[in-house]
Amino acid sequence: MVLRSLFRNARSADTKPTPSPAPQTGAGARTFIADPSLAQISGEWLFDQAHSTIGFAARHAMVTRVRGSFTGFDGWLLLDGERPECSGAGVVVRAATVDTRVAQRDRHLCSTDFLDVERYPTIDFRSTYTEQIGADRFRMTGALTVKGRTHPITIDLLYTGLVVDAFGVERIGFDGTALVNRTQWDLTWNAMLETGGLMVSEEIELEFDISAIRVP
């Protein structure tokens, strides 16, 4: 099975999730008792690329928002609905599949000014810590590697549900967002505007709309 093989290869990576730290105690602690309905999400899941989006948004010329996405990626989830802190995820994105609907801009993003896809063909994420922060909301911290540089990021996730589709396939959904400063990963190209300010914002919003299929 191709999907099972992809999952096993991702899980075997050196950067697979590490155990979560002990829960916080004291006055500042937040305690969530796992919803019994969340137990059904426990298991192994693989991203369905055809029904998922890994995207980003940046400010252009200080006034407009430019959005793009990556059309090629593989991802996996290991979920424990009763103990969310034991959950984890991993994603491998093929950098050359960046798509902003403008071919010239896509070529620039693939060049050495930005992603340098010839030298660094993939963008990788591996989770290191997951916590439940609400009934259907979670926060996942992990290591994002771009151009050979690895830095932590935090993703806020909304669990959107679990269904069996018309073909009998069990699916789970999550929406997620994260804010990052691209200069941490040596994505530093920019240009000054005549009126002041920068052509491209340093702050980038990452956007995730994930549909995943349960691994039998």
Side-chain angles (χ1 to χ4, degrees):
M1 292 288 291
V2 174
L3 292 181
R4 187 183 293 275
S5 177
L6 284 172
F7 182 87
R8 190 178 329 46
N9 290 342
R11 287 287 313 281
S12 66
D14 292 339
T15 49
K16 65 185 179 181
T18 55
S20 302
Q24 182 182 3
T25 58
R30 294 178 297 177
T31 302
F32 291 96
I33 299 175
D35 184 336
S37 66
L38 289 179
Q40 65 185 330
I41 76 174
S42 297
E44 305 171 355
W45 304 80
L46 287 171
F47 287 17
D48 177 6
Q49 183 176 310
H51 296 93
S52 301
T53 302
I54 295 179
F56 57 89
R59 286 286 175 187
H60 177 261
M62 307 291 288
V63 295
T64 60
R65 185 182 293 272
V66 171
R67 295 183 180 276
S69 64
F70 293 93
T71 60
F73 53 85
D74 296 302
W76 57 269
L77 302 169
L78 175 62
L79 301 180
D80 188 329
E82 297 178 288
R83 297 183 300 166
E85 69 277 5
C86 294
S87 298
V91 184
V92 178
V93 174
R94 292 180 283 284
T97 67
V98 63
D99 180 12
T100 64
R101 299 182 298 175
V102 177
Q104 182 179 5
R105 182 165 58 210
D106 295 344
R107 288 193 294 271
H108 191 197
L109 289 174
C110 288
S111 74
T112 56
D113 282 345
F114 285 100
L115 295 172
D116 195 2
V117 300
E118 292 296 325
R119 293 181 61 197
Y120 306 101
T122 63
I123 297 169
D124 301 277
F125 172 80
R126 294 293 185 274
S127 68
T128 55
Y129 176 50
T130 304
E131 62 176 325
Q132 185 176 5
I133 59 174
D136 54 2
R137 294 183 180 275
F138 301 84
R139 183 164 291 148
M140 179 175 285
T141 300
L144 177 65
T145 302
V146 185
K147 294 180 69 174
R149 294 164 173 78
T150 302
H151 295 284
I153 68 168
T154 299
I155 303 171
D156 287 322
L157 294 166
L158 171 66
Y159 167 55
T160 57
L162 183 150
V163 299
V164 177
D165 68 19
F167 301 97
V169 177
E170 197 170 9
R171 295 178 175 275
I172 196 169
F174 287 93
D175 289 341
T177 59
L179 287 177
V180 299
N181 187 312
R182 61 186 175 91
T183 62
Q184 287 187 286
W185 291 272
D186 194 33
L187 303 173
T188 57
W189 182 92
N190 228 320
M192 294 295 298
L193 302 173
E194 291 184 4
T195 55
L198 298 174
M199 178 69 74
V200 184
S201 63
E202 292 183 349
E203 185 176 77
I204 305 295
E205 183 175 5
L206 305 181
E207 302 170 328
F208 310 93
D209 188 357
I210 302 302
S211 175
I213 298 171
R214 187 186 291 276
V215 178

